[in-house]
Amino acid sequence: MKNYRGVILDLIFTSSPDTKVSIADDEIIPHDMNHHPPLSFVINFQKTCANLNSSSSSYNFRKCDTNSVFAWLQSLSYPSVSQVEAEQHFVTFCNSLAEVVKINCPVKTVRRSAFPAWFGSELERLVIQKKIMHKRFKTTGEIFFYEEFKLLRRQCKILAADSYYRYTEFLESSIPNNIKVFWSHINNLKTSTSPSCLKYNGIEAEDPVSQCERFADFFSSVYTNLSFPSSTFDLDTNCNLYSLTLSAQEVEAKLNTLDPNKGMGPDLIPPAVVKYCSPVLAPILAVYFNLLLKNGTYPANLKLSFIIPIYKSGARTEVTNYRLIAIQPVFAKLFESLVLDKLAFDLKHTIVNEQHVFHSGMSTATNLILL
């Protein structure tokens, strides 16, 4: 806030972007109105969980019994459905597979702890005991509790240094094999700055459901569904989608390229399980994919995705300052990649060499190098 000379001498530091500062109406103590006017400020604190150590349960898909899922797929016969029924049967198959995966996954308890990630159970216990002894000493004044407090404080200091050293060693050793462990640690270091209130077109939203609706309004507004007349191209090719045929070997080869560490989409089918079951899953998917291509149908369950808003820049309270990413079902990405490989091969001769983006091994970087 500037004083009468237009100079800022008093500052208020906060991480909340919607903090409001104004001249105070009530005078608590005598002050220098000219140079240091009294300030009044309002900070909106984000609501936090009442119990930081509360826990929740969920399925641990990373420890799924893949052998049982493999055996279930192996017991299935190849699909023998008509072209018209392909989509309905494919959706049913995906739902059944997701249910089998869920049945063979153990339930894990996720505990939200107030302690850092490198704290072990023993260190947590010592810290809690140290706080208890400190509180008893403050309450009673007895020297016994103070001596216990000093002993626990010394033990906590030694164990904390050792735990942190072993944790950093683990992070360094995991970088060559699993870089996600390191980046997970970096993300945990970042303090959450998610705003408690979001705005779009003058409408404010505080509860999660309303905030999702504001994001939905914004993301749908940037999409324009305009109908343009189809252009005529002479591509000198007979390639079309309904004539494409995918073999079981091609599907299995594509399944084996999946990243098992990737997350799953709304279908709740983990890529790691799909990759493990590729020998028995590939023939089934090949039949379904070929029927869907002939019918010119893209299954409704593959059109679903998890939409996650990613902050770009500007005020975090404005919905327009976010972009979205979509987490698709694993079969959606698989189907798309298989069709793209076929089209890229059949239409390769129709794309000029200068069009780098549609050629394998070329990109904007190679285009700029030639330029």
Side-chain angles (χ1 to χ4, degrees), residues 88-108:
Q88 178 184 353
H89 282 265
F90 177 75
V91 173
T92 303
F93 167 74
C94 292
N95 293 337
S96 301
L97 177 59
E99 190 64 27
V100 171
V101 169
K102 189 166 65 172
I103 292 173
N104 289 281
C105 287
V107 177
K108 66 177 180 180

Side-chain angles (χ1 to χ4, degrees), residues 77-307:
S77 56
Y78 288 165
S80 57
V81 297
S82 65
Q83 188 173 323
V84 179
E85 300 173 333
E87 180 180 3
Q88 178 184 353
H89 282 265
F90 177 75
V91 173
T92 303
F93 167 74
C94 292
N95 293 337
S96 301
L97 177 59
E99 190 64 27
V100 171
V101 169
K102 189 166 65 172
I103 292 173
N104 289 281
C105 287
V107 177
K108 66 177 180 180
T109 301
V110 180
R111 185 170 66 94
R112 293 182 293 273
S113 175
F115 296 100
W118 47 273
F119 266 52
S121 57
E122 178 64 18
L123 182 55
E124 291 181 8
R125 186 188 66 81
L126 289 176
V127 170
I128 293 173
Q129 286 294 322
K130 182 190 70 171
K131 290 182 178 180
I132 292 174
M133 292 301 157
H134 185 263
K135 184 177 180 179
R136 289 179 179 175
F137 168 70
K138 287 290 186 180
T139 304
T140 63
E142 295 185 11
I143 194 65
F144 169 77
F145 293 120
Y146 181 70
E147 293 296 331
E148 288 292 320
F149 164 73
K150 286 200 306 181
L151 176 63
L152 290 168
R153 183 176 60 182
R154 190 181 309 113
Q155 292 176 350
C156 287
K157 186 176 181 180
I158 296 173
L159 185 57
D162 180 64
S163 299
Y164 186 75
Y165 174 76
R166 286 189 282 108
Y167 178 71
T168 53
E169 265 196 337
F170 165 72
L171 288 177
E172 292 176 1
S173 62
S174 64
I175 290 177
N177 302 320
N178 189 6
I179 191 64
K180 287 189 174 184
V181 175
F182 170 76
W183 287 116
S184 176
H185 166 70
I186 296 299
N187 291 331
N188 289 334
L189 294 179
K190 299 178 182 178
T191 56
S192 176
T193 55
S194 301
S196 58
C197 179
L198 290 172
K199 304 175 185 177
Y200 179 64
N201 284 343
I203 303 176
E204 296 186 354
E206 294 185 357
D207 60 286
V209 176
S210 299
Q211 291 179 352
C212 290
E213 291 176 352
R214 299 291 80 77
F215 277 116
D217 293 339
F218 168 60
F219 291 144
S220 60
S221 69
V222 298
Y223 171 74
T224 305
N225 188 10
L226 298 177
S227 298
F228 292 103
S230 300
S231 302
T232 302
F233 296 99
D234 183 14
L235 300 178
D236 189 25
T237 180
N238 295 323
C239 176
N240 49 63
L241 289 177
Y242 60 82
S243 66
L244 296 181
T245 302
L246 303 173
S247 66
Q249 290 78 11
E250 291 173 331
V251 176
E252 183 177 359
K254 187 66 67 174
L255 286 171
N256 290 327
T257 62
L258 293 175
D259 186 354
N261 296 316
K262 291 287 186 180
M264 56 193 171
D267 57 349
L268 300 182
I269 301 177
V273 176
V274 172
K275 183 176 182 178
Y276 181 84
C277 300
S278 60
V280 292
L281 184 59
I284 299 174
L285 290 178
V287 173
Y288 279 124
F289 287 165
N290 287 326
L291 288 172
L292 292 169
L293 286 171
K294 289 180 180 179
N295 198 31
T297 304
Y298 193 74
N301 63 325
L302 300 189
K303 297 178 183 178
L304 301 177
S305 59
F306 288 140
I307 302 298

Side-chain angles (χ1 to χ4, degrees), residues 49-69:
C49 184
N51 185 6
L52 291 176
N53 290 314
S54 61
S55 59
S56 59
S57 299
S58 62
Y59 290 99
N60 189 355
F61 291 100
R62 293 188 178 275
K63 293 187 177 181
C64 177
D65 184 3
T66 51
N67 291 325
S68 297
V69 180

Side-chain angles (χ1 to χ4, degrees), residues 332-351:
K333 294 183 284 188
L334 178 71
F335 197 10
E336 176 187 350
S337 182
L338 287 165
V339 173
L340 180 62
D341 287 348
K342 286 283 187 178
L343 292 178
F345 179 80
D346 292 337
L347 299 175
K348 183 169 58 176
H349 67 282
T350 65
I351 304 174

